[in-house]
Amino acid sequence: MLTVKSNLALACALSALAGYVDGVGFIHLGGLFISFMSGNSTRLGVMIAELNWPKALEALKLIALFVVGAGLGSLVGHGRGRHRQWMLLVTETLLLGAGGLAYQMGAPDLTIIAIVLAMGLENAMFQADGGTTGIALTYMTGTLVRIGQLLAAALQGGSPWAWFPNFLLWSAMVTGAAIGTVAYLHLNLGAVWLAASAALLIAVIVALAAWRKPAR
């Protein structure tokens, strides 16, 4: 999928958005993640071993919300054809906007719930109906594995630049996380409004492209 320029551009934009939101959430939650559930799963195991039940319960709640968000993404996108991506993006925008509104109303816990759901939902963006995610957007372990594998293939005579799109995807998340951290330090959870605005802009661009694309 990353060999198509439009897919690569969208994937990098959404990966940067995920990194941004994760950076905001990571600082706010004191070391737990909004979109990286492997990290939260490891933290859950450590906290159970340490008998730190309040923090373990917090990690478990984040994991459960992420799973719900992923399921919601599959439901929203199912059967939507060429319109599925922008519809998912509109839903993500609404969730992020709800998170920003909750913060303004003095309910930061609801903000966290909304943005975790949004990150789970985002992973359905490149999912075929009834299938699995084709591009990891909110976590990079698989992407880094592919970079290593494609670099090895290049050394054996394969394409010398096949790894580069995956590198761009990883770089986008790191950049987004850095920007999200800076934004949180200045705006606290109000930084979620910037994420909602970015998601809306991406949704408009994707929707215009979908409507111009002839139906099959």
Side-chain angles (χ1 to χ4, degrees):
M1 288 186 182
L2 293 182
T3 57
V4 179
K5 289 184 179 179
S6 59
N7 283 343
L8 178 60
L10 178 58
C12 285
L14 292 175
S15 185
L17 179 60
Y20 177 96
V21 174
D22 213 18
V24 169
F26 183 83
I27 301 299
H28 183 79
L29 295 172
L32 289 172
F33 300 92
I34 297 297
S35 64
F36 180 53
M37 293 302 124
S38 295
N40 282 345
S41 297
T42 299
R43 294 297 300 272
L44 174 61
V46 171
M47 291 161 189
I48 289 173
E50 293 177 344
L51 303 181
N52 187 347
W53 301 117
K55 208 67 176 175
L57 184 60
E58 187 177 8
L60 185 61
K61 181 181 73 173
L62 292 170
I63 294 167
L65 286 168
F66 188 86
V67 171
V68 171
L72 176 63
S74 293
L75 291 173
V76 171
H78 182 73
R80 305 297 182 182
R82 72 184 192 278
H83 299 294
R84 66 185 307 279
Q85 288 184 326
W86 72 260
M87 294 182 73
L88 283 165
L89 280 163
V90 168
T91 307
E92 182 173 358
T93 299
L94 292 172
L95 285 169
L96 291 171
L101 184 61
Y103 173 69
Q104 296 302 129
M105 296 176 66
D109 289 346
L110 293 180
T111 300
I112 296 301
I113 291 172
I115 63 178
V116 174
L117 290 172
M119 291 300 98
L121 177 140
E122 186 175 298
N123 283 287
M125 205 64 60
F126 291 95
Q127 179 187 42
D129 286 340
T132 57
T133 302
I135 301 176
L137 295 172
T138 68
Y139 50 93
M140 288 293 119
T141 303
T143 300
L144 292 171
V145 169
R146 283 192 291 275
I147 291 173
Q149 292 171 338
L150 291 169
L151 282 171
L155 292 174
Q156 299 175 70
S159 172
W161 293 103
W163 58 273
F164 192 65
N166 289 284
F167 173 78
L168 289 178
L169 194 63
W170 172 79
S171 299
M173 173 164 277
V174 173
T175 301
I179 296 171
T181 299
V182 172
Y184 179 84
L185 294 176
H186 287 84
L187 302 171
N188 204 293
L189 284 179
V192 172
W193 282 117
L194 297 179
S197 299
L200 178 60
L201 176 61
I202 299 169
V204 170
I205 294 171
V206 172
L208 289 173
W211 284 106
R212 290 172 181 171
K213 185 178 179 180
R216 293 182 179 179

